[in-house]
Amino acid sequence: MSIEKFGESQKSEIREPQSRGEREKERAKEKSKEIRKMLERAITESLETAGLEKVGYSTWLRKIRNKFQLVYLQRSLYSNSYYIEAGICDAKDIPENEKPNVIHCNFRDRIESIVNEKNGKGRPEKEQLKKQNEVNDLLNFEKESKKYPAPIIDLDEAQKKIEALKNLVQEYIPWWFDKNTFPKIEKK
């Protein structure tokens, strides 16, 4: 009788999903990855025109004089929703031997607030909330469902949302950077 090392008798192949539920989970995971790739491509395209370049898995960056302007894409831990955050930081605030990251930014905001900042001045609060909810809806890639986890929308619907997000990023993020990187000193 021979003694086998632990795990030697186990197959080294990747196990294929067996049940219907496992196969559905695997398809949802692949769809989620594809949506993220599509979203990253769209953000990259919209920020290239403003001079930002992709420098990491989810970060776009531009340096102007002693300031860094960053955009960060983050997926929710609890759903297939995303957050797009913009930040501005001084080069001196970034620790030595570290790359600029949105966590170094003392001044940052999410896209829904940036859209409201530009469009919301003087508008009733109810209208501002409506616009903020519209942006949040674009960032959500799940179907309305009582199931957990909620099913992911189809890729055609995702592409429409991503195109709208691309336009928002292209219109609002450069405006926000211009307004806040080197604010003009108002004369009294």
Side-chain angles (χ1 to χ4, degrees), residues 5-18:
K5 290 183 180 176
F6 180 76
E8 227 177 63
S9 65
Q10 303 293 323
K11 290 184 178 180
S12 61
E13 298 172 18
I14 297 174
R15 188 174 86 75
E16 291 293 320
Q18 298 298 316

Side-chain angles (χ1 to χ4, degrees), residues 72-135:
Y72 180 68
L73 176 67
Q74 178 183 8
R75 184 171 174 258
S76 169
L77 293 173
Y78 306 105
S79 67
N80 278 295
S81 294
Y82 288 85
Y83 309 101
I84 299 173
E85 191 169 9
I88 300 167
C89 55
D90 287 315
K92 67 179 173 31
D93 293 336
I94 299 166
E96 197 173 317
N97 299 323
E98 283 192 35
K99 293 180 181 177
N101 188 309
V102 77
I103 62 169
H104 300 124
C105 298
N106 292 323
F107 194 69
R108 60 188 193 205
D109 220 337
R110 288 191 175 164
I111 185 87
E112 56 271 25
S113 297
I114 294 169
V115 168
N116 262 347
E117 185 178 338
K118 186 174 181 184
N119 291 337
K121 301 231 186 241
R123 289 186 184 207
E125 189 176 328
K126 198 173 186 178
E127 264 186 59
Q128 290 180 23
L129 284 172
K130 182 180 177 197
K131 187 64 176 175
Q132 190 166 341
N133 288 336
E134 288 172 9
V135 175

Side-chain angles (χ1 to χ4, degrees), residues 168-184:
L168 284 176
V169 167
Q170 195 165 21
E171 179 180 350
Y172 292 96
I173 299 287
W175 168 84
W176 187 81
F177 282 148
D178 290 345
K179 177 182 175 286
N180 295 301
T181 302
F182 299 104
K184 295 176 184 163

